[in-house]
Amino acid sequence: MEKEVEKEKNKPEQIKIVTKNKKITIPILSIVVVVLLIIFLVPKGEENIEIKVKSSLDKIVEKSDLETVNITYNVIAKKCKDDKNCDKSSNNIKDFEYVTSCKGTITAGIDFSNVKINVDKKNKKVVIKLPDATIKGSPNVGSVKFLNGQDVPADELPNARNLCEETLIKKSKEDNKLIPSAKEQATIVLEEFYNQWIKAYDSSYKVEVQ
Amino acid sequence: MNKLKLLVVMFLSLSLLTGCGQTNIKDLAENVKKIELTGNLVTYQAYYHNVIEYDKKAPSGFTHIFEKDRKLFAEYTGTIKLGINLSKVKVEVHGNEINAFIPKATIIGEPNVSEDDFKSENFIEDEDSFINKNPLTIEDSSKAFDKAQEEMKNLASTDTELLAMAQKRAKVVIEENIKQFSGLNEGKYTINWEYEQ
């Protein structure tokens, strides 16, 4: 009997506690629900993918040394006997004062700050468009070998090196395969990387690196 | 009872928030096994502009008397692919530690030397004998082309800097594979890299 009386006494207090808890938990639950709605219902837009591609691109460029590429560029340079009357297209070595084989290196670079990223939602495709590579600085001239099979005076070597440098610059500028190749070496690894990377967003998407 | 229900709801909501679909660390080993490690992974395409020297010996015999050895020089261009054999990659999981072994990079496929560079008009030759000729023929162009292919292979396979770069790039791609397949945030596991020298 005594217990029942005590129970009755405690009842309003219990109700009080539950009401107090409700007051605290309802706002918390509301926040949780809102956060969940944001996470699950707000779609990951094109802009989001674009930003993510850009930030991951910065990382992979740094990790893979994609910005610059050194290209072995060896050329044949011909020294005319008479600069005013010289047919450089002649394939007879005797028509020249000397002919050298020049070992050289050219550095090409890609400016990744000019990368364009387009998200084609309709065709489920992310297109990463790289800018063209450009030749950086002057070519590096290594060894010079005279091909005539005859002795060339030692004091001619500096002139031969200059001739090599001029020829390297001229030929690399005229070489229509050089720039696309410098870009291709970066494209290959970016394609492999992004084909994996995109799976985190939507495996139905494809990434094309141009 | 109501209090209990509310606590359960809160707990589940928070679990969803913190988990966000992440898999458990114990699934890491199974997930990583799903990475397809077959075929070759090309990570570098090198471009070469090179000079070839080709020697043609004067044949022996009476009809070839006074013929001289010939030399031709030509510039040629070509590309060669480098990468790793994925079947040699090893990825082992021990708890939250992943040990990854990256094999050394090698040449993938054959070099692609431009045949157009081996036309006679692009050659520079030494002078032939005045008396008995030993001309450079189409067959010599073909042999010079074969020599260029071999030379490009040798150049690429001995270029340690280039091979290291191709191996390093392979690591970046494998790392991304692990990241995608693990189902875990990067901070929840450690990768120990080993590179074949």
Side-chain angles (χ1 to χ4, degrees):
Chain A
M1 191 66 186
E2 237 175 63
K3 268 184 184 176
E4 267 181 27
V5 173
E6 209 171 298
K7 232 181 188 180
E8 282 301 308
K9 269 185 185 174
N10 285 341
K11 221 173 186 180
E13 239 177 77
Q14 264 185 356
I15 292 164
K16 241 184 180 177
I17 292 165
V18 170
T19 333
K20 204 178 173 185
N21 276 344
K22 266 188 184 170
K23 273 183 187 167
I24 302 164
T25 50
I26 285 172
I28 291 173
L29 263 180
S30 309
I31 292 166
V32 168
V33 168
V34 168
V35 172
L36 281 173
L37 282 173
I38 290 168
I39 290 170
F40 294 110
L41 297 181
V42 174
K44 287 168 180 169
E46 291 168 28
E47 204 185 336
N48 194 15
I49 296 184
E50 204 175 310
I51 292 164
K52 294 276 181 186
V53 169
K54 186 87 183 91
S55 78
S56 64
L57 187 67
D58 293 341
K59 282 183 201 159
I60 187 182
V61 165
E62 195 193 327
K63 281 184 183 176
S64 308
D65 297 329
L66 297 179
E67 276 176 307
T68 53
V69 55
N70 292 325
I71 298 162
T72 301
Y73 214 91
N74 303 338
V75 294
I76 295 173
K78 299 164 181 171
K79 169 78 177 164
C80 293
K81 285 178 178 167
D82 177 1
D83 284 335
K84 285 174 189 166
N85 185 22
C86 180
D87 175 16
K88 282 218 170 179
S89 65
S90 167
N91 50 12
N92 188 346
I93 209 163
K94 290 279 177 195
D95 290 344
F96 301 95
E97 190 180 323
Y98 57 80
V99 175
T100 61
S101 172
C102 320
K103 281 193 185 286
T105 313
I106 280 176
T107 304
I110 298 173
D111 183 1
F112 279 88
S113 63
N114 289 328
V115 168
K116 282 183 183 149
I117 300 156
N118 294 312
V119 181
D120 181 353
K121 209 177 173 185
K122 196 181 160 194
N123 296 311
K124 297 216 158 195
K125 204 162 78 174
V126 179
V127 180
I128 303 170
K129 204 168 181 183
L130 305 184
D132 278 342
T134 49
I135 295 169
K136 304 265 178 195
S138 301
N140 176 34
V141 181
S143 61
V144 175
K145 183 183 175 188
F146 292 95
L147 303 179
N148 302 53
Q150 67 203 41
D151 288 336
V152 175
D155 58 1
E156 189 56 31
L157 194 61
N159 295 333
R161 290 187 73 85
N162 287 340
L163 180 68
C164 279
E165 188 170 346
E166 281 166 23
T167 311
L168 266 162
I169 292 169
K170 186 176 180 287
K171 290 195 174 176
S172 61
K173 277 182 183 166
E174 289 167 358
D175 186 346
N176 55 13
K177 293 179 210 158
L178 175 66
I179 297 299
S181 295
K183 195 169 156 177
E184 184 66 21
Q185 58 82 30
T187 308
I188 276 179
V189 73
L190 286 176
E191 267 175 349
E192 291 285 355
F193 176 84
Y194 279 105
N195 281 333
Q196 283 306 321
W197 184 90
I198 198 70
K199 286 175 188 167
Y201 288 92
D202 186 342
S203 57
S204 63
Y205 264 83
K206 290 270 174 276
V207 179
E208 198 179 302
V209 185
Q210 295 177 346
Chain B
M1 191 61 189
N2 275 342
K3 190 181 167 189
L4 186 71
K5 274 183 186 171
L6 283 169
L7 284 170
V8 168
V9 170
M10 272 182 71
F11 176 74
L12 287 173
S13 308
L14 284 169
S15 307
L16 274 169
L17 267 175
T18 51
C20 282
Q22 289 287 307
T23 52
N24 200 296
I25 198 83
K26 69 181 180 194
D27 299 324
L28 183 62
E30 282 307 307
N31 289 345
V32 166
K33 271 184 198 164
K34 291 175 195 162
I35 300 173
E36 203 181 317
L37 294 172
T38 54
N40 293 317
L41 173 66
V42 177
T43 55
Y44 200 96
Q45 182 173 284
Y47 175 74
Y48 283 97
H49 188 118
N50 220 346
V51 175
I52 185 99
E53 285 186 39
Y54 172 79
D55 296 303
K56 185 186 186 182
K57 292 270 173 210
S60 54
F62 182 71
T63 53
H64 298 290
I65 200 161
F66 296 122
E67 280 186 25
K68 62 178 274 197
D69 294 344
R70 301 292 312 280
K71 262 184 188 293
L72 81 78
F73 307 95
E75 284 181 23
Y76 68 92
T77 57
T79 54
I80 192 161
K81 287 176 178 160
L82 303 167
I84 60 159
N85 181 347
L86 282 172
S87 66
K88 289 183 179 173
V89 172
K90 286 174 201 153
V91 183
E92 287 166 0
V93 180
H94 304 283
N96 65 343
E97 290 222 356
I98 300 173
N99 296 330
F101 170 80
I102 306 292
K104 59 182 172 189
T106 54
I107 292 165
I108 308 280
E110 288 298 310
N112 180 23
V113 172
S114 169
E115 284 188 63
D116 287 347
D117 296 332
F118 290 84
K119 289 178 180 163
S120 58
E121 63 262 31
N122 296 328
F123 297 155
I124 184 147
E125 310 166 1
D126 62 354
E127 207 165 41
D128 204 354
S129 163
F130 187 69
I131 306 163
N132 204 2
K133 305 279 183 197
N134 179 20
L136 292 161
T137 61
I138 293 169
E139 198 191 338
D140 295 311
S141 300
S142 176
K143 281 180 183 170
F145 173 80
D146 292 343
K147 191 183 173 191
Q149 292 259 107
E150 270 313 299
E151 197 176 81
M152 197 187 275
K153 257 186 180 178
N154 289 337
L155 274 172
S157 63
T158 53
D159 190 334
T160 49
E161 202 178 311
L162 203 66
L163 292 168
M165 166 105 63
Q167 190 183 33
K168 187 178 163 187
R169 289 181 175 191
K171 177 246 176 189
V172 174
V173 175
I174 301 288
E175 192 174 20
E176 187 58 27
N177 265 280
I178 293 171
K179 191 176 153 191
Q180 298 307 335
F181 278 87
S182 69
L184 291 168
N185 286 332
E186 275 177 280
K188 293 195 173 176
Y189 60 86
T190 316
I191 309 177
N192 306 312
W193 296 100
E194 190 191 339
Y195 301 93
E196 188 183 4
Q197 298 298 317

